[in-house]
Amino acid sequence: MELVARLLRAMTDPTTEDEEFRTWYPDLSALSDRDLGDLVPAAYAVGRDAPYVSMSVRFRIEDEAKQRQPRYTPQACERMFQALVDGLPQRKWADLVVGVGALVRCTGPWPDLAGPARTLVEFLLGADRLGQPFALLAIGGLAGDDVLRAVADRLDQGRRGPIARDELDLVLRLAPRERVLLAELFDIRSINSSPVPPQVWERVAAVPACAGYARAALESAADRARAVQDGEIPFRADKAFTGDEVAALGHAARIALLRDEPWLPGLFDRLLPGISVAPTQAKSLPSQALLYEIVRAAQEFPTPELVTAIRTVRGIVRHAGVPKRLDKMLKKAEAALADRTEVALRLPDLGFGPDGVLRRDLGPYTALVTVTAGKAELTFEKDGAALKGVPAPVRRDHKAEVTELRDLAKRVSAQLVTLARALEGGFTVDAVHPFARWRDTLLRHPIAGPAVRTLLWQIEAAPGDWRTVLPEADELPDAADDAPVRLWHPIRSRPDEVRAWRDLLVERRIRQPFKQAFREIYLLTPAEEETGTYSNRFAAHLVHYRRMFALFRARGWTSSLLGPWDGGGSDEAVRTLAAGEWRARFSHALADWQGEHEIAGTNRVVFDRRGDGGGWREAPLADVPPLVFSEAMRDVDLFVGVASIAADPMWEDGEAHEYWVRAWYADLGESTRTRREALERVLPRTRIADRCAIDGRYLVVRGELRTYKIHLGSANIVMEPDDAFLCVVPERRAAGARVFLPFEDERLALIISKAFLLAADDAIEDESILTQIKRGA
């Protein structure tokens, strides 16, 4: 290929003709993965004193390789190792992970690399460069048993803790190809590393010795945690395990989680509390490091049992900072759980009856833990009559049982949160379940059932014949056991069908665990068709940055924190969708930094498709699957709508006042239109219906003293006739909060609360509100 030859020449022996590479940026996506594998060794061989053109091409090749999966012929592998050796005198180091990566991606039999492998390992041992231990072992094994043993002896001298030394023994027992796979996974990725190829974790988890070590290591950790709790090992804050052991246990946890070992739930129920709560009254943890490492493993290979166990531990840990960090990490784990549909919807029954109730007799009283669509609640009754609170005799005589039942209710509530987020996350992967499994393990499940029955489902009764059912209100159609079942999404239905389902939910007072029937949909606009590869739909907004950053985490987006430091002025929030096949990127930048008032400006949204080699390529918006596009844009709308300074009733910054006013008169977005539809159905059923009317973007409320307009987007209020602004921050538990809503929406609940307050404005006692109302009345 001419381009390959020109790039090779530019890196190895550039001519005047190659000077054009200073300003010419060829499309390297045209290179095949094998072409790229031929070029990477030459790129690595370019030294620091090479001509500018050579360095420029080198950096472009390395950047391309970091996004893709180069394929290396045996000859390219040989050149890669020779480049590593040749670079030693100048660099005084060699990136062994790059060499390991070439072997992992080799297209044929490995070449004989004993000579360069010996040179590399002996040099690094002599220079005490042991920062890539697994790659050292893998490449040392290629040089011969004597070199492998020498590497092991050196590493053993610095390996702290028996669990870490057991991992080293495991590596020595593995075959050369298995050691290479471990190095690809376990060593710190270098800046030049390509993404880990698909199936590498699966190949490692399938090795019997690795699976055996994983169980032994985790059992040993659980035993040590118990010994710390029992006082057999003295408690020292975060010293129950060494740093090497924490890393080794992280590897073991990932292997066991990927294998979905049946013994894991019980082990984590023992291990996590043991490392998270001191045996004394200290607020520190026996091993905060191991707790975080296991949560990181859950972010990669989550199971519902582990996510629930982490949520349970989050409620008992005493350290003030740990719950906040766990909350952030759990968002990512829950988002990843949606991609593991084979395990995501698995829930234990915990002794609950078919009606979703667990009953426990406590003397003459009965305790009931009742599962609803969104949570579990503990109540008490006597002789069939419901009681308020915990009866005094139960509180006195059954203290331990009450504590146990309260913990159970919290645990079940956590499981329901995990279930709801896994189901909702399945939208973009178009998750499908066999009818019989869905019916028996979800619909009829005593804990999952109440939530599952409030959702709309589509069952393929015959090829292409998808029938929508609401199990809470409908009979299930006859379907084969293997008939596909999927969640209904409004983007697949006609508007009249969507309206009919919304009416039914309100009429039957059915509250869904997440917004489904009232879910917003976002279709490609003419402006986006014109821009082609990016959307400006949510650009040019001013937002409270910290609030938006928190929403990124809550919705499974990743983003670096902005701030007044180098590189902290702008960033992209990124979310991967459709089982890793698509990702969305949302640009934003700091607009103002004033202590607590950190304001960011929003920019464009773009989409990338994953290529055959694993890298990302920017895609035209028209190529993005409609459901993927809609779900990503829905998140961005949420970020802007909730964090916008236009939704802040206390905002007084003069420079941004123009934006605030513009937002007040702007056309309604999708989320606000959905909120208006919900209000149109809910308000007529309230006692203030005759005082309320919806007028475009406002809810108009007629009080005794004045008439008010509540903005359906921001929930801000102005008063007629002069549109004077009214600042009201009502209690969230006000009258409006008790109105039935078919989904959870803080802004909608806030609007209704304000409507109830203003409809009876003559009963308001708050002087700060009354002064504002009477000033222009």
Side-chain angles (χ1 to χ4, degrees), residues 303-348:
T303 65
E305 295 87 357
L306 177 53
V307 171
T308 298
I310 296 168
R311 282 192 170 279
T312 301
V313 162
R314 183 237 178 269
I316 62 174
V317 68
R318 301 189 194 112
H319 190 293
V322 172
K324 294 180 181 178
R325 185 168 179 185
L326 288 180
D327 286 342
K328 295 177 181 178
M329 299 175 78
L330 273 168
K331 305 299 184 186
K332 193 171 182 178
E334 288 168 339
L337 188 59
D339 293 335
R340 297 193 77 192
T341 54
E342 71 278 13
V343 303
L345 306 182
R346 184 176 62 217
L347 285 176

Side-chain angles (χ1 to χ4, degrees), residues 371-374 416 419-420 423 447-455 457 512-513:
V371 177
T372 62
L416 290 171
L419 172 68
L423 287 170
I447 294 176
V452 170
R453 289 192 290 271
T454 65
L455 293 168
W457 296 88
Q512 296 187 302

